[in-house]
Amino acid sequence: MSLALSPLRPHRPPRPRPLPRAVPLLHRPAVLAWGLAAGFAALYACVAVNRHRRGLTKAYDLGIFEQAVRAYAHGRAPIVPLKGPGYHLLGDHFHPLIAVLAPVYRVFPSALTLVIAQALLMAPAVVPLTRWAHEVAGPRVALVVGCATGASWGIVRAAADDFHEIAFAVPLLAFAATALGRRRPLAAALWSLPLLLVKEDLGLTVGAVGLLLAWQARQDRRSPLPGFALAAVGVAAAALTLLVVLPAFNPSGSFDYWQQLDGGGRPSPWAVPLRLGWPPIKWLLLFLLAATGGFLCLRSPLLLLCAPTLGWRLLSTNPHHWGVSYHYSAVLMPIVFAALIDALRGSGDLRRPGALRGPDARRVRRALAVSMLVTAVTLPLYPLHEVVMPEAWRTPPRLAETRALLRLIPDDATVAASNRLAAQLTGRAEVTLVCQVPVVPTPEWVAVDLRDPSVQSPCAAAATASMLVVYQDLGYRRLVDQDGLLLLKRP
């Protein structure tokens, strides 16, 4: 038996292992999501702070909420003089969760605290949606969904429109809808329950979350009872706040907004469907919501979470509730994009290489393109574009004159003011609206901007003019009367 010797091979030093390539930020879901959130928070805050600097914020609603948070910060009930003498704000809407801003406001007592807090609250709504989209369809789709959510017309309009309690609802709904889509029932329930403290109608949305949880449980062969229990809690909470809590705090002993739902009387059964679809601006709202989700969102049951909010808005007789302005659509944006991601998940494994180029993914590409197009078209129509507008950062002479007038009013004074001037004073003075009948003692100062375009609401121009006559009859003397700016002082 012979041994075959293998030929000698020249010794080669081992090749050094290549250094691991840096993982692009786009492929790190957490970094991408929180990076987008930080960017949008900065944009929202920048726009909102600048609008307040330019005097575009209003007593209704930034001044109202500042008076409420200011009262909470000093351990008092949320009495809001802007709504009327001794008016308890929990008799208007049920939003006790805003009290969590009180410690921050105590340290930084300014309206800017509220608008910056709103920016920091709304921006994280992109986080769960971006991460879920990353999980479902990869980094590029996640980037599209995250940017479309943060720049969506509903959220952008709300982030720049004074301050409202729904700033808390936007991230809560984003996390709750994402948990629902990922079949995490406990997380969905826990994220939705704080909505009961945000606004009275959101109890119905919590009820919708519970019903979807029950439906998912039946599909997964689990007990639907926890879902039904959450639905019952949500509906019961809404009924309790609407029928008991709000009337108890309201000066009139009832909920002020019932008349907007019943049209001032008991509506006939056949009139209700007509009110849901007329006037046609309501169809614009529905169309724009569907287009924001690329129309593919209509395939997801998560979109049913929009039903409670859309229901009361379409039934309302208040025209502000029907359209695509103001802050009312902000709570719908996270739901629409969660429904879009859920529908994308039902379109197959989109993380597979080439998945978005195959013929089966044509509707996915079309949906994403429509969603991006809606974002691109609406972006110049809503305040986020002001960041790049040079004229938005200038200080025109009229604004300088307004600031000079406000500096004449000392801190802790009592002031009757017009809508926009009031929002500049609530952080340092006791402010009422100029159109309200003064109580004894009458305010020390009266500050009015007759060129305020918002002067029609909440104060009609005629009511403001008549009250100016009353103040002049009481002996108030004019310290400023320049270009529609009036400042009167009590003798």
Side-chain angles (χ1 to χ4, degrees), residues 315-473:
L315 285 174
S316 172
T317 58
N318 185 346
H320 294 159
H321 295 155
W322 307 337
V324 294
S325 298
Y326 300 99
H327 60 283
Y328 301 110
S329 296
V331 296
L332 302 178
M333 297 294 103
I335 300 172
V336 167
F337 284 103
L340 171 60
I341 300 168
D342 190 44
L344 291 176
R345 184 183 61 173
S347 301
D349 184 9
L350 300 181
R351 294 182 63 90
R352 189 181 70 253
L356 289 177
R357 294 193 296 270
D360 294 337
R362 190 172 301 163
R363 67 174 179 271
V364 172
R365 298 197 306 272
R366 186 165 54 242
L368 294 174
V370 170
S371 183
M372 288 190 292
L373 179 62
V374 170
T375 302
V377 169
T378 57
L379 201 56
L381 305 177
Y382 290 89
L384 203 60
H385 72 280
E386 294 178 1
V387 174
V388 295
M389 290 177 59
E391 59 269 24
W393 298 94
R394 299 189 183 117
T395 303
R398 170 78 177 184
L399 179 56
E401 294 168 2
T402 303
R403 291 176 179 172
L405 178 148
L406 295 174
R407 281 196 295 268
L408 295 175
I409 301 174
D411 293 348
D412 300 320
T414 56
V415 188
S418 54
N419 197 21
R420 286 185 173 176
L421 294 184
Q424 301 292 317
L425 293 166
T426 47
R428 62 182 185 88
E430 188 74 13
V431 187
T432 58
L433 285 174
V434 67
C435 57
Q436 295 173 355
V437 177
V439 296
V440 178
T442 55
E444 301 167 87
W445 299 83
V446 177
V448 177
D449 182 359
L450 295 177
R451 288 174 50 185
D452 181 355
S454 67
V455 77
Q456 299 299 325
S457 177
C459 288
T464 299
S466 64
M467 288 309 304
L468 286 175
V469 172
V470 171
Y471 284 117
Q472 293 180 52
D473 290 342

Side-chain angles (χ1 to χ4, degrees), residues 148-231:
T149 303
S152 60
W153 51 276
I155 291 180
V156 167
R157 187 66 181 89
D161 186 24
D162 292 0
F163 173 88
H164 296 92
E165 69 283 292
I166 52 92
F168 290 92
V170 171
L172 289 172
L173 282 167
F175 280 98
T178 299
L180 264 174
R182 299 173 81 177
R183 300 294 179 116
R184 297 180 176 177
L186 180 58
L190 293 178
W191 280 115
S192 64
L193 280 172
L195 293 170
L196 301 177
L197 303 178
V198 176
K199 201 174 179 184
E200 62 278 357
D201 65 290
L202 290 174
L204 300 179
T205 302
V206 174
V209 171
L211 292 178
L212 281 178
L213 286 176
W215 175 73
Q216 288 180 349
R218 285 191 179 278
Q219 283 192 322
D220 299 340
R221 299 180 181 276
R222 293 182 286 105
S223 171
L225 289 180
F228 286 129
L230 180 64

Side-chain angles (χ1 to χ4, degrees), residues 37-410:
F40 280 114
L43 286 174
Y44 299 160
C46 193
V47 172
V49 169
N50 190 45
R51 287 175 70 85
H52 185 68
R53 180 192 71 87
R54 293 157 58 200
L56 299 180
T57 50
K58 303 175 290 294
Y60 277 48
D61 295 305
L62 179 59
I64 288 175
F65 280 104
E66 184 175 11
Q67 286 186 338
V69 175
R70 188 182 183 189
Y72 282 132
H74 290 86
R76 302 192 302 265
I79 303 301
V80 175
L82 283 169
K83 292 285 289 183
Y87 193 99
H88 197 299
L89 198 59
L90 290 182
D92 185 50
H93 290 295
F94 187 72
H95 37 52
L97 196 57
I98 66 171
V100 302
L101 299 176
V104 181
Y105 185 88
R106 186 67 184 264
V107 179
F108 304 102
S110 167
L112 295 179
T113 299
L114 298 190
V115 297
I116 293 173
Q118 178 166 257
L120 297 178
L121 285 168
M122 285 191 169
V126 307
V127 173
L129 297 168
T130 302
R131 299 192 69 168
W132 188 25
H134 199 289
E135 175 187 310
V136 168
R140 293 182 181 178
V141 174
L143 180 63
V144 170
V145 170
C147 290
T149 303
S152 60
W153 51 276
I155 291 180
V156 167
R157 187 66 181 89
D161 186 24
D162 292 0
F163 173 88
H164 296 92
E165 69 283 292
I166 52 92
F168 290 92
V170 171
L172 289 172
L173 282 167
F175 280 98
T178 299
L180 264 174
R182 299 173 81 177
R183 300 294 179 116
R184 297 180 176 177
L186 180 58
L190 293 178
W191 280 115
S192 64
L193 280 172
L195 293 170
L196 301 177
L197 303 178
V198 176
K199 201 174 179 184
E200 62 278 357
D201 65 290
L202 290 174
L204 300 179
T205 302
V206 174
V209 171
L211 292 178
L212 281 178
L213 286 176
W215 175 73
Q216 288 180 349
R218 285 191 179 278
Q219 283 192 322
D220 299 340
R221 299 180 181 276
R222 293 182 286 105
S223 171
L225 289 180
F228 286 129
L230 180 64
V233 168
V235 174
L240 181 65
T241 53
L242 287 168
L243 301 176
V244 178
V245 178
L246 289 168
F249 288 108
N250 191 284
S252 64
S254 64
F255 181 48
D256 281 340
Y257 303 98
W258 282 129
Q259 58 183 355
Q260 295 184 3
L261 296 178
D262 61 13
R266 186 180 297 275
S268 57
W270 54 84
V272 172
L274 181 63
R275 283 174 55 188
L276 287 172
W278 192 263
I281 191 174
K282 296 179 180 180
W283 290 100
L284 172 63
L285 169 64
L286 298 176
F287 174 82
L288 191 56
L289 284 172
T292 300
F295 297 105
L296 193 62
C297 62
L298 299 173
R299 301 168 65 95
S300 170
L302 293 182
L303 199 62
L304 294 174
L305 295 178
C306 292
T309 298
L310 285 176
W312 71 258
R313 286 181 63 183
L314 297 180
L315 285 174
S316 172
T317 58
N318 185 346
H320 294 159
H321 295 155
W322 307 337
V324 294
S325 298
Y326 300 99
H327 60 283
Y328 301 110
S329 296
V331 296
L332 302 178
M333 297 294 103
I335 300 172
V336 167
F337 284 103
L340 171 60
I341 300 168
D342 190 44
L344 291 176
R345 184 183 61 173
S347 301
D349 184 9
L350 300 181
R351 294 182 63 90
R352 189 181 70 253
L356 289 177
R357 294 193 296 270
D360 294 337
R362 190 172 301 163
R363 67 174 179 271
V364 172
R365 298 197 306 272
R366 186 165 54 242
L368 294 174
V370 170
S371 183
M372 288 190 292
L373 179 62
V374 170
T375 302
V377 169
T378 57
L379 201 56
L381 305 177
Y382 290 89
L384 203 60
H385 72 280
E386 294 178 1
V387 174
V388 295
M389 290 177 59
E391 59 269 24
W393 298 94
R394 299 189 183 117
T395 303
R398 170 78 177 184
L399 179 56
E401 294 168 2
T402 303
R403 291 176 179 172
L405 178 148
L406 295 174
R407 281 196 295 268
L408 295 175
I409 301 174

Side-chain angles (χ1 to χ4, degrees), residues 22-43:
V23 180
L25 298 183
L26 197 62
H27 293 273
R28 297 171 131 179
V31 175
L32 173 62
W34 285 105
L36 287 175
F40 280 114
L43 286 174

